[in-house]
Amino acid sequence: NGSGKSTTMRLMLGLDNGEGLTTWEGLKLPDVPVPAAMVGAHLDAKSFHPGRTARNHLRMLARASDTSNARIDEVLDLMGLRGVAKKRPKGFSLGMAQRLGLAGAILAEPKVLLLDEPANGLDPQSIQWLRDFLRRYAAEGRVVFVSSHLLNEMQLMADHVIVIAKGELIADEPMPAFVARSTRNDVFLRTPDVDEFLRILAGKGIGAVREGDDGISVLGVTTQAIGDFAHEHQLRLWELRPRTASLEEAFLELTSEDQ
């Protein structure tokens, strides 16, 4: 919280003043012929006129991109909002408000979606729906730029991660590369020959730590290497598997006060 995620997104859209420049296919956003077809944004779950119905809210947005009424109906159906189209969003739950905001963002089928915490207020089924929808949207050749605190959900959804801490850029790289930076990535094995394993691994300069009575955590090697190592030294293996850090573990490690 407070790292600058939402502010960055507002700066990208020209909603706040600051240094730096964002271009959309080489153009500043005011110079894009139809901005709504370039970027659709949903930054605030309650950014609606309280007296305007959900359908009229979308009709107002549609005027900016000359979007048809048929597309409005299509989006209402897609977001599960057809039944509340004539209702005013001031009485919507947070989850329903999120769906209406997303409906407005995709109305003109933009090349880029810019979403700030879109899963807030959604139940587990709706979060799964959102994940599947955004991945399909991106798979069609578009960009989906999402800010979220739900790190486990982002690990399932995102291909690329940008991490900001205290206003500083910590990472801008593919998800697997970021997670691989964590020291929590290791190979776990179980063996009745723990002491012999540890002795030989130490002799080869390989970092290994005992876990429980028959477990060992090994750093910096692959499961294949451990398997070959055990075969070479005639050591028994009861279990052998890689352990990958979660996005949450990598995030907390790489943004800790000690970094």
Side-chain angles (χ1 to χ4, degrees), residues 7 9 19 22 47 67 81 92 96 110 123 170 179 206 209 229:
T7 299
M9 298 172 89
E19 297 180 2
T22 300
S47 57
T67 300
L81 296 171
F92 283 7
M96 292 295 286
D123 56 45
I170 302 299
V179 172
I206 298 174
V209 178
F229 174 85

Side-chain angles (χ1 to χ4, degrees), residues 20-179:
L21 175 67
T22 300
T23 59
W24 309 86
E25 294 189 344
L27 298 175
K28 295 180 181 179
L29 195 56
D31 298 329
V32 174
V34 185
M38 176 63 70
V39 54
H42 176 44
L43 306 186
D44 184 350
K46 294 289 187 178
S47 57
F48 313 113
H49 189 289
R52 186 180 290 127
T53 67
R55 182 187 295 279
N56 284 340
H57 171 74
L58 295 179
R59 289 179 63 191
M60 180 269 296
L61 295 178
R63 291 292 297 273
S65 55
D66 198 25
T67 300
S68 68
N69 287 332
R71 174 60 180 170
I72 293 174
D73 291 336
E74 179 183 338
V75 168
L76 286 168
D77 286 337
L78 185 62
M79 296 296 153
L81 296 171
R82 172 76 75 154
V84 296
K86 296 182 179 180
K87 293 185 178 180
R88 294 177 175 85
K90 65 179 181 180
F92 283 7
S93 66
L94 181 56
M96 292 295 286
Q98 292 281 30
R99 286 174 178 260
L100 182 56
L102 187 56
I106 68 167
L107 197 57
E109 300 182 85
K111 297 179 180 180
V112 179
L113 278 181
L114 211 60
L115 310 174
D116 194 5
E117 300 287 355
N120 274 359
L122 299 184
D123 56 45
Q125 290 84 359
S126 296
I127 290 176
Q128 182 179 19
W129 170 87
L130 177 66
R131 178 205 313 153
D132 293 342
F133 172 80
L134 295 181
R135 288 199 65 86
R136 285 196 306 272
Y137 200 86
E140 294 172 353
R142 302 181 177 101
V143 173
V144 179
F145 190 103
V146 180
S147 166
S148 178
H149 287 94
L150 302 177
L151 298 185
N152 292 334
E153 186 60 33
M154 286 298 99
Q155 188 162 16
L156 295 174
M157 184 189 302
D159 302 306
H160 194 97
V161 62
I162 298 170
V163 179
I164 301 174
K166 298 181 179 178
E168 297 291 331
L169 185 67
I170 302 299
D172 179 1
E173 58 194 338
M175 176 73 74
F178 178 72
V179 172

Side-chain angles (χ1 to χ4, degrees), residues 194-213:
V194 172
D195 292 335
E196 185 68 6
F197 246 113
L198 290 172
R199 183 184 67 78
I200 298 176
L201 287 171
K204 293 181 176 294
I206 298 174
V209 178
R210 179 192 291 267
E211 289 192 12
D213 295 332

